[in-house]
Amino acid sequence: MTDNIIKKLDKFFLAFLIINPFLDVVTVVYIKVLETLSGNNFDTISIPVTPSLLVRMLVLVLFALYALISLDLKAIGSAVPVAVAWVMSVIGEILFFYSFALYTDVQYIARFAYNFAVILVYMQVFRRMGIGREELMNKLSDVLALSLLMLSATIVVSYMLDMGYTTYADRYGYRGTRGFFYSGNDITAILMAGLPVVMCGFMQRRDLSSKMFWAYDLSAALTAICLMLIGTKTAFIAVFAAAFVLGICALWKLIAFKEHLPLRRCIIIAVTMALVFAVMALLSTQSIFGEISASFHQTGTVMENEGATTALLSGRHTKLAKAFAMYKEGGIYTWIFGVGRGTQTAIIEMDLFEVVIYYGIFGAIAMLWLYVKLGLEFVWKFFKNIRELRYDLMPVAVLVSLGLCAGYLLIAGHILFSVTSGFYFSYMLLFGKITYTEDMERLSII
């Protein structure tokens, strides 16, 4: 009976990979309906959870059930220190700051736990699938291409209908567009993480059916366009990094090995982007190229007027300084276990600093070791097997993806504590792990 339950959960978790992006689209619609019915902006409506968060918290319960039923001691053993770190941070809130926000504390750690559990559970699910590494990577790449196609299409459509949110609304005016995605950081992180892999998959896959051929092509083209429409610094960097690195690889393949396919596919993506831009320019009442240009040049204006730090961090360094002062003055207990999320009225939105300040040194070790291990392990194997890039460029794409995400975690992102973008960061870490795992039956944390 236990095996039967595990098999059913395996099937559900695999299906959830396809369901996942639909949750974000449903939330987009949900937000718009709420705004229309209430006549208010979403940030002024008192809604404790969105449909996507509720569903993902239910999935987190299934993750926990799966680990217990399958007696995955590595997963259970990895989760316990995270729970201890959270409990000790809450105790510190009560003892030293006389401040306790149970809902805020629970919601924040639950989001992290969900992303953490994605790595632990799906590693076992993929191992139990019983298929080879190359076939599994192709399936995961297909899922990513279709997910990005759906998410980016919602932004393109909302832009052409002249609807949705602007990315920035500050002292320099309104600029950029993120469709109806409430968090610009979330959708940027998703598109940024997936773009290099989808581009690379299209560049070198010879077994694509006609439907998947166009799915990959449109996914890469629309994702790049959407990142430029979002118009943040990191979004522009993501497009440039993916296009530059993979473009250089395509030229290398052509010059060194007379392999024309990668460069030819790159040209197809560029042509598709040009066609989509033309359609958007014709159907939209806005100047798409003017808007992208304004977003691109505004960073230089901010840097000139307010300095490089403000331009790079968008004012997050002010919140960081305030939270760090509280952490530093809290004493030994706070240094070890943090000030807790419940003591903060506003989040820093710099994930690595949040982990240390909210959960302390102990929390940083308990919560980040898995991410660090998988990231460094991939980098080490990448350089160890660098000669193999002659046959497969996908490790380059994964390296670009993880590098962009790592930078985002440090300066601008909100990934580890977001069930939306955090899922895809975990997904890419798993993708990187599988890239260098020859025997799928040996796929494991350690």
Side-chain angles (χ1 to χ4, degrees):
M1 182 176 179
T2 299
D3 288 342
N4 190 42
I5 294 174
I6 291 175
K7 288 179 181 178
K8 288 182 177 179
L9 286 174
D10 281 340
K11 291 180 180 179
F12 170 77
F13 292 145
L14 291 173
F16 187 71
L17 295 176
I18 303 295
I19 296 170
N20 188 62
F22 284 94
L23 297 178
D24 298 302
V25 175
V26 168
T27 297
V28 165
V29 176
Y30 172 76
I31 289 173
K32 183 58 181 175
V33 170
L34 282 181
E35 290 185 331
T36 302
L37 294 176
S38 67
N40 297 313
N41 292 327
F42 183 72
D43 55 0
T44 63
I45 303 172
S46 179
I47 302 295
V49 293
T50 60
S52 62
L53 179 61
L54 179 61
V55 171
R56 283 160 172 150
M57 289 302 97
L58 292 175
V59 172
L60 175 59
V61 174
L62 293 180
F63 284 159
L65 179 65
Y66 184 86
L68 291 172
I69 292 177
S70 62
L71 289 177
D72 189 346
L73 299 181
K74 292 179 181 178
I76 296 171
S78 299
V80 169
V82 175
V84 171
W86 175 73
V87 169
M88 298 304 288
S89 73
V90 172
I91 291 174
E93 290 180 33
I94 299 171
L95 293 179
F96 301 104
F97 299 104
Y98 311 106
S99 173
F100 180 54
L102 180 60
Y103 176 75
T104 301
D105 277 310
V106 170
Q107 187 186 77
Y108 220 60
I109 198 64
R111 289 173 174 175
F112 177 87
Y114 172 82
N115 298 325
F116 196 81
V118 165
I119 298 174
L120 299 172
V121 170
Y122 274 101
M123 197 168 290
Q124 185 173 167
V125 172
F126 293 152
R127 184 174 65 244
R128 293 169 60 89
M129 285 179 66
I131 62 176
R133 178 180 65 87
E134 185 174 350
E135 183 181 356
L136 176 57
M137 287 184 66
N138 287 343
K139 289 181 180 296
L140 294 179
S141 183
D142 290 348
V143 168
L144 194 59
L146 293 172
S147 298
L148 263 59
L149 177 58
M150 177 184 297
L151 295 172
S152 59
T154 62
I155 297 179
V156 169
V157 171
S158 67
Y159 179 84
M160 289 192 294
L161 295 176
D162 197 16
M163 302 171 69
Y165 304 111
T166 56
T167 305
Y168 290 107
D170 56 21
R171 57 204 174 280
Y172 295 98
Y174 296 89
R175 61 192 186 279
T177 181
R178 50 188 163 92
F180 286 107
F181 290 97
Y182 188 67
S183 171
N185 281 350
D186 268 357
I187 188 60
T188 299
I190 295 171
L191 301 179
M192 176 178 66
L195 177 60
V197 171
V198 172
M199 282 186 64
C200 187
F202 182 65
M203 284 169 55
Q204 62 180 19
R205 287 272 297 277
R206 297 179 182 274
D207 61 341
L208 290 173
S209 65
S210 59
K211 289 182 179 179
M212 287 309 299
F213 180 94
W214 294 114
Y216 269 86
D217 179 33
L218 279 172
S219 181
L222 293 186
T223 298
I225 289 171
C226 286
L227 284 167
M228 287 187 281
L229 283 173
I230 290 169
T232 60
K233 297 172 291 294
T234 45
F236 283 122
I237 290 171
V239 175
F240 175 79
F244 178 77
V245 173
L246 292 176
I248 291 296
C249 287
L251 287 173
W252 171 63
K253 282 274 196 173
L254 176 65
I255 295 170
F257 308 108
K258 309 301 181 185
E259 188 173 341
H260 297 79
L261 183 65
L263 186 59
R264 189 163 62 241
R265 293 278 178 86
C266 284
I267 294 172
I268 292 174
I269 292 175
V271 171
T272 303
M273 288 180 65
L275 291 174
V276 174
F277 269 130
V279 172
M280 293 176 71
L282 288 172
L283 299 182
S284 176
T285 59
Q286 308 169 74
S287 172
I288 182 171
F289 300 109
E291 184 162 336
I292 292 174
S293 177
S295 296
F296 184 80
H297 288 99
Q298 196 60 59
T299 298
T301 301
V302 176
M303 185 179 297
E304 182 180 337
N305 293 343
E306 302 185 36
T309 301
T310 299
L312 180 64
L313 301 179
S314 300
R316 294 182 183 90
H317 59 292
T318 303
K319 293 186 289 184
L320 173 61
K322 184 178 179 180
F324 182 72
M326 186 177 182
Y327 171 81
K328 185 173 62 174
E329 295 167 5
I332 295 178
Y333 188 95
T334 298
W335 300 343
I336 298 174
F337 298 113
V339 302
R341 170 65 181 90
T343 63
Q344 307 296 300
T345 56
I347 58 175
I348 303 169
E349 290 189 279
M350 299 171 73
D351 286 345
L352 297 182
F353 292 106
E354 284 190 13
V355 171
V356 175
I357 291 173
Y358 298 165
Y359 304 102
I361 296 172
F362 177 83
I365 296 172
M367 297 165 70
L368 297 179
W369 74 270
L370 180 58
Y371 292 97
V372 173
K373 178 187 183 301
L374 291 176
L376 293 181
E377 181 181 85
F378 175 82
V379 172
W380 180 76
K381 289 185 177 180
F382 176 88
F383 287 104
K384 182 181 179 182
N385 296 277
I386 200 166
R387 294 179 181 273
E388 301 301 315
L389 297 180
R390 172 180 177 178
Y391 309 103
D392 183 14
L393 294 174
M394 189 57 77
V396 176
V398 177
L399 185 68
V400 173
S401 172
L402 293 179
L404 288 170
C405 287
Y408 209 46
L409 287 172
L410 182 64
I411 65 171
H414 189 54
I415 298 177
L416 298 181
F417 298 99
S418 166
V419 292
T420 305
S421 53
F423 178 92
Y424 289 94
F425 181 44
S426 296
Y427 192 92
M428 291 314 306
L429 285 168
L430 284 168
F431 199 98
K433 176 74 174 179
I434 294 166
T435 299
Y436 289 114
T437 301
E438 293 295 335
D439 183 0
M440 292 308 301
E441 292 185 359
R442 300 181 64 183
L443 182 65
S444 63
I445 302 168
I446 301 175

